[in-house]
Amino acid sequence: MKKALFLILLMISTLGHSQKKDKSYKAQWQFPAKDSAMYVTAAQQQELYATEAEMEWYKNAKLGIFVHWGPALFETDALSWGRDGERPGAGKPAKKGVEPAVYDNLYKKFNPVNFNADKWMQQVKSWGAEYVVFTAKHHDGFAFFDAKNSDYTIMNTPFGRDICKELADAAHKAGVKIFWYYSQPDWTHPDNLREKHYENYLPYMKEHVEQLFTEYGKIDGVFWDHLATKYWQWDSYHVLKEMKEWQPGIISNARTGFGWPLDDRGDYDTPEQSLGPINHHRYWEACLTMTDKWLYSKGPIKPHETVLGMLIQVAGNGGNLLLNLGPNEKGEFVAKEAEEAVKVGEWIDTYGYTIKNTRRGIYIGGDYGSTTQVGNKLYIHVLQKLGNDATATIELPELPIEILSAKGITDGFENYKVENGKLVLAFAKAEFNKNIDNIVELTLAKDPANFERIETWNATPIASTDFEVTQSSYFSDNKKGDVIYNAKGNVFSEGIHLKKWWEPARNDKNPSLTLDFKSAKNVKTLLLSENMRAHCIREFHIEAKDENGNWKTVYNGTTIGEGLRIKLNGDAIYGIRLRPTKRTKSIQITAFNSYE
């Protein structure tokens, strides 16, 4: 069998490399093109970009569903990355994962008997999504389609059906757009990024690509995942050129390999486990997980409130949200994840017109939230929450366009006024914090797309030298409260990807994180974030310390998620404290910043 031969050759290859020093792992897969035709000019690269018309449906969609799946779920919650052995194109060989002899044979018991492609597509639609990105082949090499050149496929599992075909057929029937995720690197192929890469592996990969994009009807996009490789190693120019002939109008993400003449690779950028840029020069897509992992996981599930907060922030700043859900071994989406996704869809059913079919707004995202616009309509999405003593108003810079009218899309908007160079929106305080998003529609005299975007928040958080950090407990030395202030970039910024957090001890019944200011501070805004993989807080309280050392509750909340902003009244305080009181899993706070 082809699969058995692959594994034998891979074992030989691995033994051969095991005598080398660790530093040699990169040298073996960093090599030039086979011939000069694989290198391209800037003009050739420009041929590959999708047109604005081809990108329009994608920019209108705003929400897609990513699906990571595979037999690996029997032994690990890390697809491909949970496998031991060499990782050509990625980094050092893994030594703490599942043994290849076990991992590579899990497909023999993969039998998702409850898989129903039509049901999946109806679920996707009920969640408010417009497209699906499915892992046709991940780095581990397992193919969810009837690959003609490999035995390591869904066809040789007990299930024995071409899942890619069923998904494509169901998507076409349901009117859902579909992308194939395809990893160019393949960690179980013996020639991938090795001596016979161009002779053996590249033709093997090209056969896959041709089959996936010629035998399954209309395929709307491709999500590559090149890891740390170069574009010429996959002959990306010629592959993409052929794909555009096979699938007119197809769009591609940026992960086609490094080294292109022009900085912009593909048609859009794909920040991962991050909300991405605030004012990026082109379209982008934030890839985020519903749980703590890409593959099926029993980890914390994000509540719909934080998912919607992320969707609104992303849409208002020029991107899409690609939300990942990992099906279980039976072929079903996890019920609790699906329940939260349905609630996202219900919100979209009511308010989706303020984000779908729009473009990022004239106001750049800031402490208030974000904006979207279409024609002469500007939608202001106020995601900021109000502290107990804060006024229910939001101030933004004055628009360079006349406002013809204003109305509240959600309950609670009262009026607006323009004074002293500011646009002031007033709300009913009793309604303000009840809404996930306070939406105001402005009808303008001119299309705001013809004007420069306006910066709304250029504040710097109070410096860590101006306060002392204490915590009720910490899980380990690298999970103390001060690590989130001493880590470079651990503040709200463009392209943020927070990697350090405060985590209390598991047995801490009353966790708290406290900032004691060295002098009085007139705090107007707080910003809090949880680790993107662990949105687990379900109740928390913010307390402020007065000049006498007394603590007073200034905000009571339920969820934090990513980038929660809370407006305070600006009175002088001497400290601020976070007290989480309900949680589903371990608390992981990546940001707790104060702004004057």
Side-chain angles (χ1 to χ4, degrees):
M1 299 289 280
K2 302 183 189 73
K3 172 64 180 172
L5 178 61
F6 276 9
L7 293 178
I8 292 171
L9 292 173
L10 183 61
M11 289 174 63
I12 295 172
S13 173
T14 302
L15 288 171
H17 287 297
S18 64
Q19 302 301 316
K20 299 180 181 180
K21 295 181 180 180
D22 283 345
K23 291 183 179 179
S24 69
Y25 71 89
K26 285 187 177 180
Q28 72 183 36
W29 50 263
Q30 291 183 347
F31 47 80
K34 180 182 179 182
D35 59 65
S36 60
M38 289 182 172
Y39 297 114
V40 302
T41 64
Q44 287 176 306
Q45 184 179 350
Q46 287 177 323
E47 296 171 7
L48 302 176
Y49 291 138
T51 65
E52 185 59 34
E54 291 168 342
M55 288 289 291
E56 184 176 11
W57 77 261
Y58 176 76
K59 292 181 178 181
N60 288 341
K62 296 298 184 287
L63 178 62
I65 298 299
F66 211 168
V67 180
H68 280 69
W69 200 24
L73 59 79
F74 288 117
E75 293 287 336
T76 177
D77 56 12
L79 182 59
S80 300
W81 299 93
R83 178 184 183 273
D84 250 4
E86 292 191 358
R87 296 172 170 176
K92 294 180 180 179
K95 299 178 180 179
K96 297 181 180 179
V98 180
E99 288 290 331
V102 175
Y103 187 107
D104 297 345
N105 284 288
L106 293 172
Y107 75 104
K108 295 177 180 178
K109 64 177 182 178
F110 189 63
N111 190 20
V113 292
N114 293 343
F115 170 72
N116 183 318
D118 291 318
K119 181 179 178 181
W120 275 27
M121 293 304 155
Q122 292 309 312
Q123 286 181 291
V124 165
K125 292 177 73 172
S126 74
W127 301 338
E130 304 287 344
Y131 62 102
V132 170
V133 180
F134 181 74
T135 48
K137 181 179 80 74
H138 208 260
H139 313 314
D140 64 9
F142 178 76
F144 268 105
F145 58 100
D146 186 11
K148 301 301 190 291
N149 57 6
S150 173
D151 293 325
Y152 193 28
T153 77
I154 190 66
M155 305 309 292
N156 290 310
T157 67
F159 189 68
R161 287 162 31 199
D162 188 332
I163 280 179
C164 283
K165 182 181 188 307
E166 293 184 23
L167 284 172
D169 290 346
H172 299 151
K173 190 190 313 180
V176 174
K177 305 285 189 181
I178 191 161
F179 288 51
W180 295 138
Y181 166 104
Y182 187 88
S183 167
Q184 300 99 312
D186 185 324
W187 296 341
T188 57
H189 193 293
D191 296 316
N192 168 55
L193 295 170
R194 294 182 174 89
E195 185 178 358
K196 294 185 178 180
H197 174 81
Y198 289 125
E199 291 78 5
N200 293 342
Y201 181 71
L202 191 56
Y204 172 86
M205 185 200 85
K206 287 184 175 181
E207 285 181 45
H208 281 181
V209 173
E210 182 171 1
Q211 184 176 351
L212 283 168
F213 293 92
T214 61
E215 296 184 7
Y216 296 91
K218 176 66 174 173
I219 305 300
D220 302 283
V222 55
F223 192 111
W224 303 106
D225 206 353
H226 69 96
L227 300 176
T229 61
K230 305 296 187 181
Y231 77 89
W232 57 79
Q233 294 178 300
W234 316 112
D235 196 16
S236 294
Y237 169 72
H238 294 101
V239 168
L240 285 164
K241 195 169 182 181
E242 283 192 310
M243 288 172 64
K244 291 176 79 70
E245 294 174 0
W246 300 330
Q247 295 285 347
I250 193 170
I251 63 176
S252 168
N253 75 338
R255 302 183 188 186
T256 53
F258 293 121
W260 291 87
L262 302 176
D263 290 337
D264 288 338
R265 296 169 284 121
D267 300 313
Y268 59 94
D269 293 321
T270 52
E272 188 171 306
Q273 296 290 35
S274 163
L275 291 192
I278 293 175
N279 195 27
H280 197 42
H281 70 282
R282 71 169 184 161
Y283 213 76
W284 54 279
E285 176 184 72
C287 314
L288 309 172
T289 52
M290 191 69 171
T291 64
D292 58 337
K293 304 289 184 182
W294 296 101
L295 194 61
Y296 166 74
S297 169
K298 295 181 180 180
I301 297 169
K302 291 180 176 65
H304 69 280
E305 295 95 337
T306 65
V307 173
L308 282 167
M310 294 188 296
L311 172 62
I312 295 159
Q313 290 182 68
V314 169
N317 289 298
N320 284 3
L321 176 62
L322 184 60
L323 181 65
N324 183 83
L325 286 87
N328 60 25
E329 75 281 2
K330 295 180 180 179
E332 300 169 314
F333 291 109
V334 178
K336 289 184 178 180
E337 293 179 43
E339 287 173 11
E340 295 301 322
V342 165
K343 293 174 183 177
V344 171
E346 290 171 347
W347 186 94
I348 290 174
D349 284 343
T350 303
Y351 304 112
Y353 69 93
T354 68
I355 55 171
K356 289 193 175 188
N357 304 304
T358 68
R359 297 296 180 264
R360 65 183 185 180
I362 187 170
Y363 285 126
I364 297 173
D367 58 343
Y368 73 96
S370 65
T371 59
T372 55
Q373 60 196 38
V374 57
N376 69 335
K377 301 289 187 184
L378 176 66
Y379 297 102
I380 301 176
H381 298 271
V382 180
L383 299 173
Q384 188 178 57
K385 300 303 178 185
L386 289 183
N388 296 345
D389 298 326
T391 58
T393 58
I394 298 296
E395 292 186 358
L396 293 167
E398 181 178 355
L399 287 165
I401 315 165
E402 180 187 358
I403 299 173
L404 300 179
S405 65
K407 69 175 182 179
I409 302 301
T410 49
D411 293 339
F413 175 66
E414 293 184 338
N415 55 65
Y416 80 95
K417 61 182 177 181
V418 178
E419 62 180 10
N420 300 322
K422 295 185 179 297
L423 169 63
V424 183
L425 306 176
F427 300 84
K429 189 167 184 177
E431 300 294 328
F432 195 93
N433 284 346
K434 294 179 182 179
N435 296 323
I436 292 173
D437 176 14
N438 284 286
I439 309 172
V440 177
E441 177 191 277
L442 300 184
T443 301
L444 307 177
K446 296 180 181 179
D447 185 345
N450 298 322
F451 294 80
E452 290 291 323
R453 299 190 81 205
I454 302 169
E455 188 172 64
T456 61
W457 197 36
N458 193 26
T460 300
I462 294 172
S464 59
T465 53
D466 289 338
F467 57 79
E468 293 184 357
V469 184
T470 57
Q471 62 276 303
S472 56
S473 67
Y474 50 88
F475 180 69
S476 60
D477 285 343
N478 65 346
K479 296 294 182 286
K480 292 181 179 179
D482 57 3
V483 300
I484 64 179
Y485 304 100
N486 297 331
K488 183 179 179 181
N490 246 52
V491 295
F492 186 70
S493 61
E494 294 188 11
I496 191 168
H497 192 167
L498 305 176
K499 295 182 178 180
K500 294 192 175 183
W501 55 83
W502 166 62
E503 183 173 343
R506 296 286 192 271
N507 61 356
D508 189 342
K509 302 298 183 182
N510 296 292
S512 64
L513 179 62
T514 303
L515 310 183
D516 283 301
F517 301 134
K518 295 178 180 179
S519 60
K521 302 295 181 184
N522 298 98
V523 177
K524 297 177 181 177
T525 303
L526 297 177
L527 185 140
L528 299 89
S529 283
E530 294 179 86
N531 182 354
M532 185 63 81
R533 297 177 182 270
H535 289 189
C536 67
I537 290 176
R538 295 298 180 268
E539 181 183 271
F540 69 98
H541 310 279
I542 301 293
E543 299 172 341
K545 185 169 69 172
D546 65 20
E547 59 185 347
N548 297 316
N550 300 313
W551 290 92
K552 174 185 176 182
T553 299
V554 294
Y555 181 78
N556 300 297
T558 52
T559 59
I560 292 177
E562 178 76 6
L564 173 67
R565 280 83 85 185
I566 301 169
K567 179 184 178 183
L568 301 185
N569 61 15
D571 289 349
I573 58 176
Y574 292 78
I576 198 80
R577 175 186 291 163
L578 166 66
R579 287 200 310 107
T581 48
K582 291 183 181 179
R583 59 190 177 184
T584 59
K585 295 286 183 177
S586 300
I587 295 167
Q588 296 179 357
I589 298 296
T590 55
F592 182 38
N593 296 317
S594 306
Y595 298 78
E596 289 190 286

